Each structure stands twice: as C-alpha cells, then as structure tokens.
C-alpha cells in the first residue's frame, strides 16, 4: 500500500495553524510503521520548485514544477509556479484558483505515475483545498482503471462552494466527466448538483472515507456533510506536537534547572512577565503581514512585548486571529477577570493574516486600555517561546466558538499547564473538568461565547493553580494529570488507527 497526501499546510513549508502539524507528523508515524507515504503541498514561494524539478509542465502559459522538499519526513514534494508561489497560503479571492492550479499540476503528474502503477494507492486529501486534486485523481483512476482509494480529512469545515466553470477550465474536469461516487459512476455535474455545490459535501460523496480529527467534531460534521450513513465517517485524533521531555529540554536550555519544581516555575513566570517578555521573537506569515503589523504598532505608538511592572497569575492564549477562535470574547471578559483578580496578566499570541487589520486594531486598543493586565503579541511565536509561555502560565485559555480538535490544549497540557476551554468539538474530548474529575482533571470547560461562564471557570482554575505556589498539594497532581493525558494523544496511536482504516478500505472492496 502506498499513501499520497495532499495538503496546503505542512510545518516544513509554511505554518498558518494546527493543520501544518498533522499531515507531516501523521505521515512520518505511518512511514515508521512501514507504509510508503508521500506528501504534496504548494511551494507558497518558500522554494523554487523549478530549480531541480522531478516534473514540469506548462499551465496557462506558465511553467509549473514539482520538486522534493529536502530533509523532510516523510518524502515531501512541493508544487510550484504561478499562483502556487504566492506567499500568502490562503489569499482571499485567489484561493480557489490556487487550489485548482494545484489540482491541475497534480493531475498531469499522476496521469503518468498512475498509468504504470501497481497495487493500491490511497490518496488522502486534507481540507477543502485538496478536494479539486482528489476529484482529479478520482477521474484519472476511472480513466486508467487503476485501483485507488480516496480519503478526505476534515480539519475545519468551510462551507465553500465549488466552481464547475473553473474546474473545467483549469483542471479539465467538466460537467460530463465520469466520476465514481456513492451513486456509482456518474457525470461530475450530477454529483455537484447533489452536493448543492458545497465543496465538502461533494468530497464526501465521491471519496471512500471521510475522516475528521475528533469524536466531538465528527458529530457536527455528520449533519453538515449530509452523510446518509455514519459508516463513511470516522475520526483519527491529532496528537500533541510536544512532549514533556521536549518541554524539559527547552526549559533546561533556558536556565530552568528542575522544570518539575513549583518554586522554579513561579520564579520563571516572574522574570518572564517582568523582564523576558521583551525577548519573545515574532514571525509573520509573509512580508505584507509584517508590514501591516509594524505600521499599526507605530501608528498607535505601542510596543507589544513591553514587560509588565509586576508579576501576577498568568493566563495565556495562542492561535490564529480568526473569529472561530473567539479571542474577542476574552476582551469582553477582561473587566470581570481583572475585578476578580487585579494582579491577573493575560498574554495573547495571535497570528494575523495581512487582511486582519480591523481585528488587530481592536486588540491593540485593548492593550492600551489594560496596560497592567494585557499584552497582545501579533505574530507567530517560536516553538521555544510558546513552551516558555505555556510553562509560565497558570492556565491556557482556549475560547473557541468551534474547534475541530484544539492542538493548543494538548501543547499546554504537555507543559503541565491546565486548560480553560469552551465546551466545543475536540476540546470536549481532550479536557476533563477538574470540577468533575478532581485531580484527574486537566482543566475546566465553559459554554462558548458565555462571558460569565468563561470568567467564573477561568478565575477558578487560575486560583487553584495559584494555590500550588502557596503549598497546596492537590493542584500539583493536576499538572501531572495534564502531562499524562497529553501523552495519551500520540502520533503512534493515531497512525495505527489510520492504517487500520486504510486496510479496511482496501479489503472491503477490491474493485477500483
Ligand atoms: O487542531 C488541525 C487543526 C485543529 O482545531 C484545529 C483547527 C484546524 O481548527 O487538525 O485544524
């Protein structure tokens, strides 16, 4: 069995959010278990795919190429040229064209590879940007009568629509192209109509299996994808991108002698908040985003990583600056949170795209209104800095409106820091509430967008952890529970479940 994965994000090439972690790490864990895995992403301008190409073709007058991304695991290819070299991973307005161009180059490449292939190949596409490529492979496998299985992996449901005109013009998949799906071999137009043009519904109709990232999220997907049978949908958990041993080695390198020691953790927090915050380095998705962030900070006369004047209990939040993540709800809660505890510090590391100017203004203005309590870091922090912030925090706040999985919760737990999270999607699977599970719990859960519940739950957790520093024994055990639970979500377990799903697909129906 060979597995070919399509994804728009891989941390080797470019990271926007949690998606970048999953295909390469899941792929690597599967290849360690003897499965041949290849990963394909656009180049996003990170390297010139036409320098040493393994394949090249001309699409709409522009040269496009595929080349190997050096040093990555599993085998990693980048597809470049034209729009695929655009630095913004998800450029609004041009994103569908980027996905279609990716599909076109993939289709040309695999029309050669598939024609001579032997044995089953599983094509595994991550998120809707890979759907045109999956459709192209679906059509090729029918044309060449080669056995393939198609898997579609939903990390975030988008509700996007497919443009049949674009699919026909760019990829050559038109109304009457034969496509294999739940209702047999039909015109593509038939399946597009059945899916009401919704790209994820279309994918669900024409692949062999739909996978998502948590049990919690799979329940809501079943409904929105319009799947008749729950059998077609399964979930494979993401895993923690961090482990406690990795966390320890990062901390030891930055001067923490015994990371397990609660006293050391407290003094680490104190120096981070009152001094070292200014050393946190930020990176941006591209130069345009960097320019916009810097211009805004200059306009407001703000330095985002100015240390606080004093120490205090720390709440940390991290993620993409998007409505889905619910960080605006934290701003609404700030008044009440700081009335409950005037010493409270909130640090938010929010990664914007260049189009998020209005949202960035809101957060910068909030920092100006709460100089003793809030710091907003607009950009991406390094893995090392993220570990330091998680480690120093009393709690990590994850206020998402919806969350397919919630990798940040696991990252925080791997650092021994409990989580205050909204009761949605994968967070429900990950976070066991200490108010119910006692010291076996790893955080608290609150109703999404409910400011009162967020404040009560978060303040409770912050105080509980603070009592650790006053000598309370019980909450210390919660830190161990966090580390233990984060380790239950590991890539080995996920790879094994994934391989099982593939094997069942291959044996269930040996017809192409
Ligand atoms: O962790 C990777 C990520 C998830 O919940 C996250 C999300 C997008 O929103 O699966 O994808």
């Amino acid at each position: 069995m060979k597995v070919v994965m399509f994804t728009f994000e891989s941390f080797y090439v470019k990271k926007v959010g949690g998606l970048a972690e999953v295909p390469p790490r899941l792929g690597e864990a599967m290849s360690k278990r003897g499965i041949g895995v290849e990963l394909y992403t656009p180049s996003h301008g990170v390297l010139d795919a036409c320098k040493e190409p393994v394949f090249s073709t001309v699409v709409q007058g522009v040269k496009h190429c595929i080349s190997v991304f050096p040093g990555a695991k599993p085998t990693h290819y980048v597809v470049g040229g034209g729009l695929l070299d655009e630095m913004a991973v998800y450029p609004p307005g041009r994103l569908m064209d980027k996905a279609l161009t990716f599909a076109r180059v993939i289709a040309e490449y695999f029309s050669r590879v598939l024609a001579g292939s032997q044995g089953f190949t599983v094509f595994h596409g991550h998120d809707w940007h890979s759907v045109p490529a999956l459709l192209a492979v679906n059509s090729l496998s029918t044309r060449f009568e080669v056995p393939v299985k198609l898997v579609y992996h939903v990390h975030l449901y988008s509700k996007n629509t497919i443009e049949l005109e674009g699919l026909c013009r760019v990829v050559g998949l038109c109304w009457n192209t034969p496509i294999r799906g739940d209702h047999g071999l039909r015109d593509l137009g038939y399946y597009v109509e059945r899916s009401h043009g919704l790209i994820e519904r279309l994918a669900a109709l024409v692949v062999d299996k739909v996978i998502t990232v948590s049990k919690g999220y799979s329940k809501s997907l079943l409904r929105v994808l319009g799947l008749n049978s729950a059998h077609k949908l399964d979930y494979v958990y993401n895993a923690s991108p961090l482990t406690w041993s990795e966390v320890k080695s990062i901390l030891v390198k930055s001067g923490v002698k015994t990371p397990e020691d609660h006293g050391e953790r407290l003094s680490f927090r104190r120096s981070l908040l009152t001094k070292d915050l200014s050393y946190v380095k930020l990176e941006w998705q591209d130069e345009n985003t960097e320019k916009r962030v810097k211009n805004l900070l200059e306009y407001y006369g703000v330095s985002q990583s100015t240390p606080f004047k004093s120490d205090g209990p720390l709440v940390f939040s991290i993620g993409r600056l998007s409505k889905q993540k619910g960080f605006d709800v934290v701003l609404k809660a700030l008044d009440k949170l700081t009335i409950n505890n005037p010493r409270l510090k909130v640090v938010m590391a929010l990664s914007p795209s260049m189009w998020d100017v209005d949202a960035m203004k809101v957060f910068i203005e909030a920092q100006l209104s709460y100089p003793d309590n809030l710091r907003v870091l607009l950009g991406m922090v390094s893995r090392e800095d993220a570990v330091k912030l998680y480690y120093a925090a009393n709690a990590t706040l994850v206020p998402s409106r919806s969350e397919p999985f919630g990798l940040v919760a696991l990252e925080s737990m791997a650092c021994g820091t409990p989580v205050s999270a909204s009761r949605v999607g994968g967070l429900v699977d990950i976070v066991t509430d200490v108010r119910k599970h006692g010291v076996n719990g790893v955080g608290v859960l609150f109703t999404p967008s409910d400011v009162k519940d967020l404040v009560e739950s978060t303040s409770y957790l912050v105080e509980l952890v603070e009592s650790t520093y006053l000598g309370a024994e019980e909450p210390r055990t919660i830190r161990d529970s966090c580390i233990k639970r984060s380790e239950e979500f590991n890539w080995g377990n996920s790879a094994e479940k994934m391989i099982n799903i593939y094997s069942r697909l291959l044996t269930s129906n040996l017809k192409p």
Side-chain angles (χ1 to χ4, degrees):
M1 182 200 324
K2 178 174 155 189
V3 178
V4 173
M5 283 192 178
F6 302 135
T7 169
F8 257 45
E9 279 186 58
S10 143
F11 67 84
Y12 284 111
V13 180
K14 214 158 202 195
K15 174 167 171 142
V16 175
L19 171 62
E21 298 289 334
V22 184
R25 296 198 194 273
L26 182 61
E28 188 186 355
M30 290 198 294
S31 62
K32 274 192 191 147
R33 283 160 180 76
I35 307 286
V37 184
E38 290 175 2
L39 196 63
Y40 292 77
T41 68
S43 78
H44 302 306
V46 169
L47 64 80
D48 179 3
C50 289
K51 207 164 160 208
E52 285 174 51
V54 293
F55 173 77
S56 67
T57 180
V58 174
V59 178
Q60 293 171 330
V62 181
K63 189 171 177 197
H64 287 72
C65 309
I66 298 183
S67 70
V68 176
F69 190 93
K73 281 188 206 151
T75 312
H76 195 323
Y77 293 95
V78 288
V79 188
L83 258 183
L84 300 176
D85 288 337
E86 167 121 21
M87 278 169 48
V89 176
Y90 304 117
R94 293 188 301 281
L95 184 52
M96 181 56 81
D97 271 344
K98 201 170 174 180
L100 294 175
T101 312
F102 180 69
R104 165 70 183 267
V105 183
I106 289 288
E108 290 200 21
Y109 176 63
F110 279 100
S111 64
R112 297 183 189 192
V113 176
L114 274 183
S117 79
Q118 306 220 319
F120 268 102
T121 306
V122 176
F123 285 85
H124 184 149
H126 296 266
D127 269 355
W128 73 264
H129 323 93
S130 312
V131 172
L134 287 179
L135 283 170
V137 172
N138 182 316
S139 149
L140 284 176
S141 74
T142 310
R143 187 143 38 102
F144 297 124
E145 294 187 358
V146 287
V148 304
K149 290 290 173 187
L150 302 177
V151 174
Y152 175 48
H153 203 135
V154 185
H155 296 263
L156 185 62
Y157 179 73
S158 76
K159 246 188 181 171
N160 264 310
T161 49
I162 188 80
E163 295 153 25
L164 199 45
E165 183 276 325
L167 254 185
C168 187
R169 178 174 37 85
V170 184
V171 199
L173 298 171
C174 302
W175 180 272
N176 57 1
T177 303
I179 290 286
R180 176 176 60 87
D182 281 0
H183 305 155
L185 196 62
R186 301 265 189 161
D187 288 349
L188 171 61
Y190 168 85
Y191 282 115
V192 171
E193 281 192 342
R194 293 293 302 209
S195 60
H196 308 293
L198 290 164
I199 192 161
E200 280 129 329
R201 279 195 175 217
L202 174 62
L205 278 173
V206 303
V207 298
D208 300 289
K209 193 85 187 174
V210 181
I211 301 293
T212 191
V213 289
S214 69
K215 190 175 179 183
Y217 199 58
S218 70
K219 287 185 195 146
S220 43
L221 262 193
L222 198 60
R223 187 174 32 84
V224 288
L225 288 182
L227 286 170
N228 291 333
S229 117
H231 296 304
K232 200 165 182 185
L233 179 68
D234 206 338
Y235 63 90
V236 172
Y237 282 129
N238 290 335
S240 177
L242 278 170
T243 59
W244 175 238
S245 63
E246 220 184 310
V247 167
K248 275 198 292 192
S249 80
I250 292 174
L251 292 168
V252 168
K253 271 192 211 132
S254 34
V256 184
K257 285 198 198 85
T258 321
E260 291 82 358
D261 187 281
H262 296 270
E264 273 209 67
R265 205 189 264 254
L266 182 60
S267 35
F268 185 81
R269 179 183 87 191
R270 195 175 301 129
S271 60
L272 179 79
L273 291 178
T274 59
K275 205 166 61 250
D276 298 338
L277 201 56
S278 55
Y279 302 127
V280 173
K281 271 197 223 74
L282 294 168
E283 282 188 11
W284 293 273
Q285 284 169 35
D286 47 62
E287 284 164 15
N288 291 328
T289 311
E290 177 174 1
K291 261 189 229 146
R292 293 204 178 161
V293 171
K294 289 189 171 163
N295 286 345
L296 276 175
L297 293 172
E298 203 178 308
Y299 173 79
Y300 281 98
V302 171
S303 160
Q304 39 185 2
S305 48
T306 309
F308 291 100
K309 288 197 196 99
S310 60
D311 176 39
L314 170 62
V315 168
F316 177 52
S317 283
I318 182 167
R320 277 180 292 115
L321 179 52
S322 89
K323 186 115 196 270
Q324 175 221 340
K325 298 290 176 184
F327 296 122
D328 53 305
V329 186
V330 182
L331 298 188
K332 289 194 197 122
L334 270 180
D335 256 344
K336 291 202 178 95
L337 281 171
T338 51
I339 288 170
N340 279 359
N341 189 340
R343 290 174 60 232
L344 188 79
K345 314 291 176 219
V346 177
V347 175
M348 305 175 94
L350 310 180
S351 173
S353 77
M354 68 175 117
W355 297 277
D356 293 327
V357 173
D358 289 342
M360 287 194 252
K361 285 183 184 165
V362 171
F363 284 89
I364 295 174
E365 286 169 13
Q367 172 164 325
L368 287 170
S369 312
Y370 293 89
D372 295 329
N373 305 97
L374 177 66
R375 291 294 175 273
V376 179
L377 310 172
L378 291 170
M380 285 184 287
V381 296
S382 68
R383 200 177 169 74
E384 286 72 20
D385 284 340
V387 164
K388 292 179 200 167
L389 286 155
Y390 283 125
Y391 179 71
N394 290 45
T396 298
L397 177 53
V398 189
S400 307
R401 290 191 162 83
S402 83
E403 196 61 77
F405 186 76
L407 283 168
V408 294
L410 283 187
E411 286 180 345
S412 169
M413 285 153 54
C415 299
T417 300
V419 181
S420 175
S422 43
R423 199 178 287 106
V424 289
L427 294 169
V428 179
D429 298 14
I430 299 169
V431 180
T432 43
D433 197 313
V434 293
R435 293 169 294 190
K436 201 165 154 200
H437 299 264
V439 291
N440 294 324
V442 296
V444 288
L445 287 166
F446 56 85
T447 309
S449 303
D450 184 332
V451 174
K452 189 164 169 272
D453 200 3
L454 180 154
V455 171
E456 279 171 16
S457 308
T458 309
S459 302
Y460 172 81
L461 190 60
V462 165
E463 290 313 320
L464 189 68
V465 172
E466 200 63 4
S467 70
T468 314
Y469 299 132
L470 303 170
E473 219 14 86
E474 266 203 332
R476 296 187 175 205
T477 320
I478 292 174
R479 292 209 187 279
D480 299 335
S481 303
C482 287
I483 295 170
K484 222 163 93 204
R485 183 141 182 83
S486 77
E487 284 166 359
E488 286 167 16
F489 293 83
N490 60 68
W491 291 115
N493 286 347
S494 301
E496 269 158 32
K497 180 159 183 192
M498 197 66 250
I499 293 170
N500 246 319
I501 293 172
Y502 293 150
S503 308
R504 264 183 277 133
L505 274 184
L506 300 189
T507 48
S508 66
N509 160 20
L510 286 171
K511 281 187 297 184

